[in-house]
Amino acid sequence: MDEKIDKRDRAARFRLRLARAMEERHVSQSALARNIGVDRSTVSQLLADDGARLPNAHVIGSCAAVLGVSADWLLSLSDRPESAAELLASSLTMAEAPRALVDNRIFEWHQEAAGYKIRYVPATLPDMLKTRAVLEWEYAPHLGRTADQAIGASEDRLTWMRSAQSDYEIAMPLYEIESFALGVGYYEGLPLPVRLQQIDHLLDLCEQLYPRLRIYLFDAKRLYSAPVTIFGPLLCVFYVGSHYMAFRDRDRIEVFTRHFDRLVREADMTARHFPEHLKSLRAKIR
């Protein structure tokens, strides 16, 4: 809260908020006094006093703890009555990240953010931009007999994501697309025809979807980013391998949005130049 409050108004708000919290939690004056270790008359004075004086920090903190609210809220320093622990629990969640294609949680997040700009630093090439052959090569060993069924369901969801009227900004390290083209590192063993087909597919998508789809390449020796997706102002999700770590509080989302925007601003290859870079890579590996 940026609002400045004089001492008398702050004391009056403290009394109102204390009374409100007691009423909502059905805590009597006697019960509050007993739990914070003061006389009942002290609580009565806290509620009835019309002066500018506030109780000491120990009493305020004890009232907040007993009533399950934050001391900042009692003092009108915050509009959120939840305690710090509750705020953290609601703003940060962990979700399991199965070794699969577009799982239900990711799809739900995309549906929630439909119409917002989505900023994305993928762990590999983005699943939604991969050809079926690349998906089969990558996921079949993990999905076994269900690979074909899973890829078919994934393609339906990826089609929805492409038509969701969201702008997609994707930032990847330069080495990721070059490793893919050369078939080295993570992509070792991926057949050349599959890589050529994937590059052609990326070129088609860039032509069809630009400017709604913009891909930037940054130098990982100069800039670093963990895999992260920022769903507009709603959600920021980090991929940590076995789990997703999701933030919903606006301050953190803004911090990570600025981080992503720096990747874009300092990219060595802009979205306009990305297709030409793909073509040059294709020419090298034919």
Side-chain angles (χ1 to χ4, degrees):
M1 297 178 63
D2 295 327
E3 179 185 5
K4 292 184 178 180
I5 308 171
D6 65 32
K7 291 182 178 179
R8 186 173 293 277
D9 285 342
R10 191 179 300 281
R13 293 191 184 190
F14 171 81
R15 292 190 292 274
L16 288 172
R17 292 190 172 191
L18 180 62
R20 171 183 159 187
M22 291 172 63
E23 180 180 358
E24 290 178 351
R25 287 154 181 79
H26 307 291
V27 176
S28 67
Q29 293 186 23
S30 297
L32 181 60
R34 184 168 58 254
N35 280 282
I36 67 175
V38 299
D39 295 333
R40 184 183 182 283
S41 60
T42 300
V43 174
S44 296
Q45 187 176 4
L46 291 177
L47 294 167
D49 188 5
D50 60 358
R53 186 177 178 181
L54 287 165
N56 63 44
H58 173 75
V59 171
I60 294 173
S62 297
C63 288
V66 170
L67 297 171
V69 297
S70 71
D72 281 354
W73 179 74
L74 287 176
L75 292 170
S76 296
L77 298 174
S78 169
D79 286 328
R80 300 290 298 271
E82 300 95 330
S83 66
E86 290 172 329
L87 286 173
L88 181 61
S90 64
S91 64
L92 170 63
T93 58
M94 298 286 287
E96 188 174 356
R99 179 61 176 169
L101 296 176
V102 181
D103 60 71
N104 289 332
R105 183 59 59 89
I106 292 178
F107 188 49
E108 288 169 2
W109 287 332
H110 276 87
Q111 288 178 308
E112 180 183 355
Y116 287 109
K117 179 191 287 188
I118 295 176
R119 300 168 170 89
Y120 183 29
V121 180
T124 62
L125 290 183
D127 280 352
M128 66 181 294
L129 305 183
K130 291 173 182 172
T131 63
R132 186 178 184 88
V134 171
L135 291 172
E136 289 174 347
W137 174 84
E138 186 172 8
Y139 287 100
H142 307 280
L143 298 176
R145 295 180 180 178
T146 64
D148 189 69
Q149 181 180 2
I151 290 171
S154 174
E155 287 174 335
D156 292 340
R157 293 181 180 181
L158 296 177
T159 298
W160 180 91
M161 288 161 59
R162 289 183 187 136
S163 63
Q165 301 305 312
S166 292
D167 283 355
Y168 280 84
E169 283 191 340
I170 298 172
M172 293 188 293
L174 274 162
Y175 72 77
E176 187 69 39
I177 194 69
E178 292 175 0
S179 296
F180 171 83
L182 298 173
V184 299
Y186 180 84
Y187 304 99
E188 185 175 357
L190 184 61
L192 176 60
V194 174
R195 286 182 273 135
L196 291 172
Q197 182 190 39
Q198 175 67 71
I199 291 175
D200 290 341
H201 182 61
L202 286 173
L203 287 169
D204 288 343
L205 290 175
C206 288
E207 181 178 351
Q208 295 167 15
L209 301 179
Y210 183 86
R212 281 187 51 221
L213 171 67
R214 300 184 294 279
I215 301 175
Y216 301 83
L217 301 177
F218 61 88
D219 184 356
K221 294 191 294 292
R222 185 164 50 85
L223 299 168
Y224 171 76
S225 179
V228 61
T229 308
I230 304 168
F231 296 89
L234 307 178
L235 181 68
C236 175
V237 180
F238 282 90
Y239 176 62
V240 295
S242 61
H243 286 78
Y244 301 112
M245 184 168 60
F247 296 92
R248 284 194 178 274
D249 61 295
R250 294 296 180 92
D251 289 343
R252 285 188 177 89
I253 293 171
E254 179 60 31
V255 167
F256 298 129
T257 298
R258 290 199 298 269
H259 160 73
F260 183 93
D261 289 346
R262 184 187 175 198
L263 297 177
V264 169
R265 186 170 60 251
E266 299 187 23
D268 290 64
M269 197 70 58
T270 68
R272 286 184 177 276
H273 297 105
F274 177 70
E276 291 303 317
H277 184 63
L278 279 180
K279 291 176 184 176
S280 67
L281 289 174
R282 195 187 195 288
K284 288 179 182 178
I285 64 175
R286 289 196 65 173

